Amino acid sequence: MEKFTVIAGPCVIENEEICIEVAEVIRGLQEEFPDIRFVFKSSFDKANRSSIHSFRGRGVDYGLKVLERIKKDYNLPVLTDIHETNQADTVAEVVDIIQIPAFLSRQTDLLLAAARTGKEINVKKGQFLAPWDTKNIVEKLKFGGAKKFYLTERGVSFGYNNLVVDFRSLPIMRQFAPVIYDATHSVQLPGGQGSSSGGQREFVYPLSKAAISVGVDGLFFETHPEPERALSDGPNQIPLKEFPSIIRKLIKLREFIIEESI
């Protein structure tokens, strides 16, 4: 990864207006910090929602139109997930980075389909995987012809409805690929509200500081103008108005650590 990367955006594409509002803030941060690579992220479909009644998204056609507009109008690279092999080529026509969801991180055909597009790939480490097991994911990507790919730490299952982050995983996975720390999904409480997931967003910032201190190549956040009204993952998303301040503090911390290590 050539530049330190910040991936951010609303969990799911609810509508174009929300995505545009978030993209404007991210674009402002990109202009403020030209040495950091900012990537807009949002999902056109959330295929693993807790309940059959949960909002999944607006679909691939609508989602890609929104992402294409953000890429063009705000000059931001864009990222979204795929869940099925037949989505890879269609999504690759628009996005810069294809993401593989955590629950699908070992799906060989999905990894190969993404790799063959020639796009950058971000793989969320499954909540069930040990960090050294991600070596096999990297081997699959390389076999498929992928050239640029990242591994993202997003916590590991610890009992029921809870995740923890073993920060030893960051240097272990960095042996295989650049590593991104997913700060907001790491504080998720999967299925913690019965028919939806809970979250503890108050821990996003301190855990992000820990990841910066240990050493990562990027950070991942979900942010929303009104998390309490978000249709997916509201409890762990950062209020958009707070996001720039958090980013500025983390970048300052990273700069301090780099200076101290020289």
Side-chain angles (χ1 to χ4, degrees):
M1 190 174 291
E2 297 175 359
K3 288 185 175 182
F4 188 81
T5 297
V6 175
I7 299 170
C11 176
V12 65
I13 298 174
E14 299 177 24
N15 56 56
E16 187 176 56
E17 291 73 23
I18 288 175
C19 289
I20 293 300
E21 185 176 352
V22 175
E24 287 177 347
V25 172
I26 296 173
R27 179 58 189 171
L29 288 167
Q30 179 65 87
E31 293 172 351
E32 185 177 349
F33 300 103
D35 293 333
I36 305 293
R37 185 192 190 197
F38 285 84
V39 178
F40 179 89
K41 175 270 169 188
S42 198
S43 301
F44 60 82
D45 181 23
K46 304 298 290 186
N48 62 346
R49 296 300 307 277
S50 299
S51 170
I52 190 64
H53 303 294
S54 298
F55 177 79
R56 288 182 52 169
R58 299 285 295 273
V60 63
D61 293 336
Y62 181 87
L64 290 180
K65 286 181 181 178
V66 172
L67 292 171
E68 189 170 29
R69 179 182 175 187
I70 289 170
K71 181 176 180 177
K72 178 181 178 181
D73 292 355
Y74 294 89
N75 195 30
L76 290 170
V78 294
L79 173 154
T80 198
D81 327 68
I82 62 172
H83 299 87
E84 300 176 11
T85 56
N86 60 14
Q87 296 173 338
D89 290 336
T90 300
V91 169
E93 293 177 3
V94 173
V95 306
D96 300 275
I97 305 174
I98 293 175
Q99 182 166 280
I100 307 298
F103 284 120
L104 301 175
S105 60
R106 295 204 320 184
Q107 295 298 104
T108 301
D109 290 343
L110 191 63
L111 291 166
L112 294 179
R116 288 168 184 151
T117 66
K119 294 291 182 176
E120 298 176 49
I121 302 170
N122 181 40
V123 182
K124 294 285 195 76
K125 178 176 75 67
Q127 300 92 324
F128 46 87
L129 285 178
W132 43 85
D133 291 335
T134 59
K135 180 179 181 181
N136 296 320
I137 293 172
V138 169
E139 288 179 353
K140 291 178 182 181
L141 292 173
K142 289 180 177 178
F143 185 86
K147 302 300 181 184
K148 295 185 70 175
F149 44 81
Y150 324 110
L151 297 170
T152 292
E153 173 60 69
R154 49 96 73 237
V156 64
S157 295
F158 188 75
Y160 298 121
N161 306 123
N162 195 33
L163 298 172
V164 297
V165 177
D166 178 358
F167 284 97
R168 294 175 299 178
S169 70
L170 303 179
I172 291 172
M173 291 194 298
R174 286 182 97 189
Q175 298 175 69
F176 315 131
V179 169
I180 295 169
Y181 175 64
D182 182 343
T184 44
H185 283 103
S186 292
V187 302
Q188 188 183 59
L189 302 174
Q193 295 181 338
S195 61
S196 63
S197 292
Q200 298 173 311
R201 74 167 64 94
E202 66 270 24
F203 296 116
V204 168
Y205 179 57
L207 291 182
S208 297
K209 290 195 294 182
I212 289 285
S213 300
V214 172
V216 287
D217 303 285
L219 295 169
F220 181 111
F221 302 93
E222 288 186 336
T223 180
H224 191 284
E226 297 180 274
E228 66 279 3
R229 299 180 63 182
L231 300 180
S232 176
D233 281 3
N236 52 268
Q237 293 196 69
I238 299 172
L240 184 61
K241 63 182 179 181
E242 300 176 11
F243 184 61
S245 175
I246 289 174
I247 292 299
R248 293 184 186 108
K249 291 176 183 178
L250 291 172
I251 290 175
K252 187 174 183 179
L253 173 61
R254 179 174 178 268
E255 291 172 347
F256 172 77
I257 291 174
I258 290 174
E259 290 176 2
E260 288 295 301
S261 64
I262 294 176

